[in-house]
Amino acid sequence: MCTNFLLAVPTIPAVQGNPTQFISARCMELTGALATNLYLVPAQQTFPIVANQSQGWIGSYGFVGLGDPQSMGQTPCFVDGINEVGLSCAALWLPGTQYPSSASSNALEFCDIAAWAMSQFATVPDVVAALAGVNVIGPAVGSQSYLPLHFIATDATGASVVIEFVGGAMNVYPPDYADGATGDGVLTNAPTYDWQRTNLSSYVHLSVEGAGTSTSNDSGPPVGSGLLGLPGDIMSASRFVKAATFRQGFGLLPGDGEGWLPTPATAGATDSTQTIVNVALQMVQMIQATPYGTALLKPTTASPSSSHPHLKARAPSVGDWTMWQVARDHTNFVYYYSTAFNSIVQKVDLTTVDFSGGSVAASALKSIQVMPAGSAWYNDASAGFA
């Protein structure tokens, strides 16, 4: 299970030509333990990085992408990332996915979709146009290499496209789908995207606006009354509604930031970047709501009977949990991430990364270890009293 969304805020302090700052966020939630590295993929990289059925291409843009180091040498599959001009692509879990099994020409293996998008395109309309010229293929349901994935790409203008595979056919939801519905960047898991958008229409009454605050509202409706009826569970449909609802508040704020940005001096007088990156990382964890050990898997076999008191009862096991979360700054070309057991935010500024050097083998890709985290998980403030 995963959750993705997009936030748009006025750029404070103002930047010429960029009145709006676009920050998207997502988390990765699975069961087990998934080793993850952040890879630097140079411009002019030859794809596929490891030979498969995809028709080859040479990338135009460098990007950073998250992937499993244990499989990178055999089947590279980037599950999240952003390129040097602000276009991101993310792969999320979609049970029930059925890929086309073969292609007569222009084949693109499903595991190459994120790299295909981030290495070649600057805008979502370019991605949408190019999708018409490729034939995505993937393994059959139940096969060893089968991964049920759907994808969302977002660019520096805030435009997004969702890509799914249902019944062996590719379904593309471009920026003009349902009067611009993809513009919120919201994507979770099953059911399919069109079902999620229809279900969302049942919650149009929800509002993040209220009549008062915890200190000003002595009587009348309590704070948050506009959210009465908001789903609170961790199921995919509920997370879709929560993400689409909570992000709406930023669209109601003044375009010049007056009254809310910079934040009050007592809060640090933070600018739009510091504010919204931290809010995005907090929101994605709040919406997903699956810290380690909170979603358990029932035992698959019965516990010992009471007639055998010396046998230890079988306990549930840890199920899905949020392993990492990212925030992507599409305006400033920066990638932020933190992990389940290290909440210190890490930053990669793509404007300072050297994407030159040409194509390299999978084994030669530079990378940063993300999961398990390789840096200290806390900052010791004990000496601050001196």
Side-chain angles (χ1 to χ4, degrees):
M1 295 192 293
C2 310
T3 299
N4 189 95
F5 57 81
L6 176 69
L7 302 177
V9 299
T11 304
I12 306 295
V15 176
Q16 186 71 26
N18 287 322
T20 303
Q21 186 170 359
F22 294 100
I23 303 285
S24 63
R26 71 81 61 93
C27 61
M28 169 64 82
E29 189 229 21
L30 285 172
T31 189
L34 181 65
T36 306
N37 283 10
L38 181 65
Y39 290 89
L40 187 161
V41 181
Q44 303 304 310
Q45 173 70 37
T46 298
F47 295 91
I49 296 176
V50 175
N52 58 22
Q53 295 184 72
S54 292
Q55 179 172 304
W57 75 93
I58 297 176
S60 299
Y61 302 106
F63 66 89
V64 294
L66 291 170
D68 180 1
Q70 298 174 353
S71 62
M72 187 58 62
Q74 297 78 40
T75 310
C77 186
F78 297 104
V79 295
D80 199 273
I82 188 170
N83 71 14
E84 57 184 314
V85 290
L87 184 133
S88 69
C89 191
L92 286 74
W93 207 251
L94 181 63
T97 291
Q98 290 181 283
Y99 304 105
S101 58
S102 62
S104 58
S105 63
N106 299 327
L108 177 65
E109 290 207 13
F110 80 103
C111 57
D112 285 330
I113 288 177
W116 173 85
M118 292 189 290
S119 66
Q120 296 189 95
F121 306 111
T123 71
V124 162
D126 288 344
V127 174
V128 173
L131 282 169
V134 297
N135 295 299
V136 176
I137 58 175
V141 177
S143 63
Q144 185 175 2
S145 58
Y146 172 75
L147 294 173
L149 301 176
H150 59 169
F151 301 82
I152 183 167
T154 300
D155 66 22
T157 72
S160 294
V161 57
V162 173
I163 309 161
E164 295 185 337
F165 302 90
V166 180
M170 180 170 65
N171 294 336
V172 178
Y173 301 92
D176 59 357
Y177 171 73
D179 297 322
T182 65
D184 60 13
V186 175
L187 191 65
T188 55
N189 311 110
T192 54
Y193 185 72
D194 55 346
W195 185 98
Q196 300 278 16
R197 298 305 318 190
T198 300
N199 181 63
L200 182 62
S201 65
S202 299
Y203 296 89
V204 293
H205 64 283
L206 296 177
S207 174
V208 295
E209 291 187 275
T213 68
S214 56
T215 58
S216 68
N217 205 25
D218 295 330
S219 61
V223 175
S225 59
L227 295 173
L228 185 64
L230 180 74
D233 59 80
I234 63 173
M235 301 298 288
S236 173
S238 298
R239 286 183 281 110
F240 196 101
V241 173
K242 286 189 286 185
T245 301
F246 284 130
R247 66 168 302 280
Q248 290 177 354
F250 294 95
L252 304 175
L253 299 172
D256 60 2
E258 183 179 357
W260 80 284
L261 277 178
T263 55
T266 51
T270 61
D271 61 14
S272 58
T273 298
Q274 183 178 351
T275 303
I276 208 61
V277 167
N278 279 280
V279 167
L281 292 172
Q282 293 167 27
M283 276 182 58
V284 76
Q285 293 181 68
M286 175 185 69
I287 293 167
Q288 188 68 38
T290 50
Y292 184 82
T294 61
L296 303 181
L297 184 65
K298 291 181 178 179
T300 55
T301 58
S303 298
S305 66
S306 57
S307 60
H308 296 84
H310 299 296
L311 292 178
K312 185 178 180 179
R314 189 178 297 276
S317 58
V318 174
D320 284 16
W321 53 285
T322 301
M323 299 179 184
W324 47 258
Q325 47 277 325
V326 306
R328 322 176 192 95
D329 188 337
H330 300 270
T331 304
N332 297 305
F333 316 144
V334 181
Y335 197 69
Y336 301 89
Y337 64 90
S338 60
T339 66
F341 306 117
N342 190 337
S343 60
I344 296 177
V345 178
Q346 307 295 321
K347 170 186 174 181
V348 175
D349 185 344
L350 275 70
T351 66
T352 67
V353 173
D354 183 5
F355 288 107
S356 65
S359 187
V360 298
S363 60
L365 290 172
K366 297 178 181 178
S367 67
I368 300 170
Q369 182 174 305
V370 173
M371 189 78 186
S375 56
W377 63 275
Y378 62 87
N379 178 43
D380 192 341
S382 306
F385 292 108

